Amino acid sequence: MGTETKSNSYTGQISTSGGNPKVMKDSLSLVRQTVNQQSQSNQNQYQNDTDNDNHLNSNSKSYSNATKTNQPETNHTEKNISPSTNESKKIIVPFVPIFVEEADVIQGAKELLKVIRPNWDLAHVEFKSFTDGITNKLVGCFHKPTTKLKRSDEKDADDKEQQEPYVPPIKVEDHPAVQEEDKDEDEEEFTANGETDGLPLQYSDNVVLVRVYGNKTDLLIDRKAETQNFLLLHTYGLAPSLYATFKNGLVYEYVPGTTLNTESVLCPEIWPLVARRMAEMHRKVRKNVGDIVGGAASASADAVADAAKPLPMIWTKTQSFLDLVPERFTDAEKHKRVKGTFLPICRLREEFNSLYKYLVALGSPIVFSHNDLLLGNVVYTKCMKTVNFIDYEYADYNFQAFDIGNHFAEMCGVDEVDYTRYPKREFQLQWLRVYLEEYLQRTNIQSEEVDLLYVQVNQFALASHIFWTVWSLLQAEHSTIDFDYVGYAFLRYNEYLARKEEFLSLTAASQKNNK
């Protein structure tokens, strides 16, 4: 919900316009030197890294297969991220001292490429502004190197292998709802280096994404934690490569595919992939021991088990958001719209606190969650039969049932919200069974287990509505993006009120037997 892909359909306009970003030029040469020095080191270490990634399952291959040759994964600061093995991986991400203006994202992207892709000829780079979301700005940078011309006196046999291969323009997928009418249904949706031929898809080194944070979003999001989450998930094969950070954004790997919409999310060949992918994240991902319990990295498993569980994101984030909602909005018209329902904000806090007390008693496991799995944050790659999640601004430990319930609520859309699309019980039970098979790593899932999770998920969906209601109120005060945040706050809160009695009255068979 809180990402630039809120309505990200990977569509947009090619552009080469833009103004001049704010650049600390004295530092750029040092950053460029660091990137160049570390690129060769990363090439040498890549094989060793891939040898250590045996914990990834087949649905993770789309990230682990990515071509690494020209991807600098270096920085001024080092992050030790520990996957399920005991061995830590040292990941260094470059920081580029550039501030990119929201109105001049294209020009800012050019300045970034001069540093992190110094070998790219900007004359052969196309910039595609993806559909604006309601938090951040996103631009794709597509490098299209041309054929190296052979001198007439060169020998064909000897020099053929020495020529730089032609890389045709990379096709950027459109949202399924806006595909060209004459498109062949069997046409490959993405080509890397121009060919697929049924082979595993390789991500292209000739594409990067530049994301520019929205105004005042640092009030909503811990950007340092977001970067750490990005790196953490990458070590598990659950996130693309992070190429660099800059003063107000990230540069990262392009994920080929189409983002989901309200129709495709229900397709029988897609939704099981989403269920398994989420279960994989919930089952596998763990932060460093020190990050979780504040102890040493060598702490024993028993010590970890006995340590206090991390506070769920839904509690900490909602409370911090509530603290930031103003009692009087700067815009008089907005204040007039919200004051009757949402102000004073203590009323909404009391509503949330009461709901949270009830939800905690449900006993939903605390797992590392995405927490923002709207349809635009799920990318489906048809030729690989995989889905990947993108954007980790809100990723953190949270209740398992919240992550699922939030995703179900997001199936109703964002730009055109229709809560009659909320998934019916039969669909949810099928989805949850597939999820539990992956999460519990067994096929003999009992109906009682599915039924219990069904109750928890729908009741936690209520918390999702309150969370994004408060988020919307904050955005209404601070965001410069043209979106009716106040209207969206009312949509979410009205749905919460409409579903509250229905969802809280749900009871699983196992719960009835215990009464």
Side-chain angles (χ1 to χ4, degrees):
M1 187 83 54
T3 72
E4 81 284 3
T5 54
K6 190 67 175 166
S7 52
N8 176 9
S9 59
Y10 279 15
T11 63
Q13 299 296 324
I14 300 294
S15 172
T16 58
S17 63
N20 294 319
K22 298 176 182 177
V23 183
M24 295 174 60
K25 295 186 180 295
D26 292 341
S27 302
L28 295 186
S29 59
L30 177 59
V31 175
R32 186 179 292 113
Q33 181 181 7
T34 303
V35 170
N36 292 336
Q37 290 174 345
Q38 294 294 341
S39 293
Q40 184 61 43
S41 174
N42 287 334
Q43 294 177 33
N44 297 334
Q45 294 177 1
Y46 172 58
Q47 185 60 46
N48 292 332
D49 287 344
T50 55
D51 291 341
N52 291 330
D53 285 337
N54 294 329
H55 63 283
L56 303 182
N57 70 6
S58 59
N59 198 34
S60 302
K61 65 185 177 182
S62 54
Y63 286 133
S64 59
N65 284 340
T67 303
K68 304 286 184 177
T69 305
N70 295 321
Q71 299 175 3
E73 296 182 19
T74 56
N75 185 337
H76 303 105
T77 58
E78 300 177 351
K79 309 289 185 183
N80 287 322
I81 308 297
S82 296
S84 55
T85 64
N86 293 326
E87 182 178 350
S88 295
K89 292 185 179 181
K90 186 177 295 183
I91 300 178
I92 310 174
V93 179
F95 171 76
V96 184
I98 289 177
F99 182 92
V100 178
E101 299 287 354
E102 283 188 78
D104 297 325
V105 176
I106 300 296
Q107 184 61 30
K110 291 180 180 180
E111 296 298 329
L112 289 165
L113 292 178
K114 290 177 183 179
V115 179
I116 68 168
R117 292 292 185 270
N119 295 328
W120 282 17
D121 182 353
L122 293 182
H124 295 132
V125 177
E126 289 185 344
F127 298 89
K128 191 174 184 72
S129 296
F130 294 130
T131 303
D132 286 346
I134 58 176
T135 304
N136 308 309
K137 301 286 187 178
L138 183 69
V139 62
C141 310
F142 298 83
H143 185 226
K144 304 195 299 180
T146 57
T147 304
K148 181 184 289 185
L149 297 178
K150 180 167 66 69
R151 297 192 308 271
S152 59
D153 60 346
E154 290 179 319
K155 295 180 180 180
D156 290 341
D158 293 339
D159 293 334
K160 186 174 182 180
E161 295 181 358
Q162 311 239 351
Q163 289 184 350
E164 183 175 314
Y166 171 67
V167 182
I170 293 177
K171 180 178 177 182
V172 183
E173 288 191 52
D174 291 333
H175 194 287
V178 294
Q179 289 179 350
E180 298 176 0
E181 293 181 359
D182 59 350
K183 181 176 178 180
D184 185 350
E185 292 181 358
D186 295 329
E187 180 180 353
E188 289 289 350
E189 60 185 27
F190 179 90
T191 58
N193 293 334
E195 298 180 0
T196 53
D197 295 332
L199 298 175
L201 183 67
Q202 299 291 314
Y203 288 5
S204 175
D205 285 334
N206 292 320
V207 187
V208 301
L209 295 179
V210 175
R211 178 158 59 114
V212 180
Y213 302 145
N215 183 50
K216 298 289 187 180
T217 54
D218 55 312
L219 294 173
L220 301 159
I221 299 158
D222 183 340
R223 295 302 181 185
K224 181 178 179 181
E226 179 190 10
T227 300
Q228 293 173 339
N229 290 336
F230 211 122
L231 298 174
L232 173 69
L233 291 169
H234 179 66
T235 66
Y236 285 93
L238 295 168
S241 297
L242 180 61
Y243 297 144
T245 63
F246 54 100
K247 283 190 171 184
N248 60 326
L250 303 172
V251 185
Y252 54 98
E253 185 178 24
Y254 173 75
V255 180
T258 52
T259 52
L260 301 189
N261 61 22
T262 53
E263 287 77 35
S264 62
V265 72
L266 301 177
C267 290
E269 66 271 21
I270 296 178
W271 68 257
L273 300 176
V274 179
R276 295 189 189 103
R277 190 67 161 178
M278 184 186 290
E280 180 187 6
M281 175 184 288
H282 291 174
R283 179 173 61 86
K284 287 183 175 181
V285 178
R286 297 292 183 272
K287 288 186 178 181
N288 288 333
V289 173
D291 293 338
I292 300 174
V293 299
S298 59
S300 66
D302 291 339
V304 175
D306 294 338
K309 294 181 180 179
L311 285 174
M313 166 270 194
I314 186 59
W315 171 259
T316 58
K317 211 69 167 176
T318 304
Q319 294 299 330
S320 66
F321 284 5
L322 286 166
D323 290 341
L324 293 170
V325 175
E327 292 295 346
R328 174 164 293 277
F329 283 65
T330 303
D331 185 294
E333 180 59 30
K334 290 179 181 178
H335 183 78
K336 181 179 179 181
R337 292 173 65 189
V338 304
K339 68 176 183 178
T341 303
F342 301 116
L343 300 178
I345 200 64
C346 61
R347 292 185 299 177
L348 194 56
R349 188 189 298 272
E350 290 171 359
E351 183 71 25
F352 172 76
N353 290 351
S354 176
L355 175 66
Y356 183 82
K357 182 178 180 181
Y358 175 88
L359 296 177
V360 169
L362 296 178
S364 179
I366 295 177
V367 296
F368 194 87
S369 305
H370 186 284
N371 295 317
D372 189 18
L373 210 57
L374 55 112
L375 303 184
N377 281 345
V378 184
V379 179
Y380 172 56
T381 306
K382 182 179 180 181
C383 64
M384 294 185 70
K385 294 183 173 62
T386 59
V387 296
N388 289 297
F389 301 159
I390 57 176
D391 296 339
Y392 317 102
E393 294 177 309
Y394 296 96
D396 203 347
Y397 284 99
N398 205 357
F399 295 105
Q400 173 192 61
F402 176 90
D403 215 13
I404 304 173
N406 182 71
H407 177 59
F408 285 174
E410 295 293 350
M411 290 183 181
C412 303
V414 175
D415 294 326
E416 296 181 4
V417 181
D418 180 0
Y419 283 115
T420 63
R421 296 190 183 118
Y422 189 78
K424 301 297 188 288
R425 174 182 168 84
E426 181 180 359
F427 175 85
Q428 287 194 43
L429 294 179
Q430 293 176 345
W431 197 102
L432 295 172
R433 181 174 292 275
V434 171
Y435 169 91
L436 285 173
E437 288 177 349
E438 171 65 27
Y439 180 72
L440 298 176
Q441 291 290 281
R442 55 182 172 84
T443 57
N444 60 331
I445 303 301
Q446 303 301 310
S447 297
E448 292 78 8
E449 294 175 294
V450 180
D451 190 42
L452 178 61
L453 185 56
Y454 169 80
V455 171
Q456 294 175 342
V457 162
N458 285 276
Q459 292 179 345
F460 268 95
L462 296 173
S464 169
H465 287 308
I466 292 186
F467 178 77
W468 295 116
T469 296
V470 183
W471 173 89
S472 298
L473 294 174
L474 265 181
Q475 291 283 22
E477 173 66 10
H478 298 292
S479 179
T480 58
I481 293 177
D482 184 17
F483 184 83
D484 184 9
Y485 292 102
V486 172
Y488 190 73
F490 275 103
L491 277 173
R492 296 303 298 249
Y493 193 62
N494 287 339
E495 181 65 8
Y496 164 77
L497 296 175
R499 296 280 192 170
K500 179 180 177 182
E501 182 177 355
E502 173 191 353
F503 286 173
L504 292 183
S505 66
L506 294 174
T507 306
S510 59
Q511 293 173 315
K512 295 177 181 178
N513 294 335
N514 291 332
K515 289 184 178 180

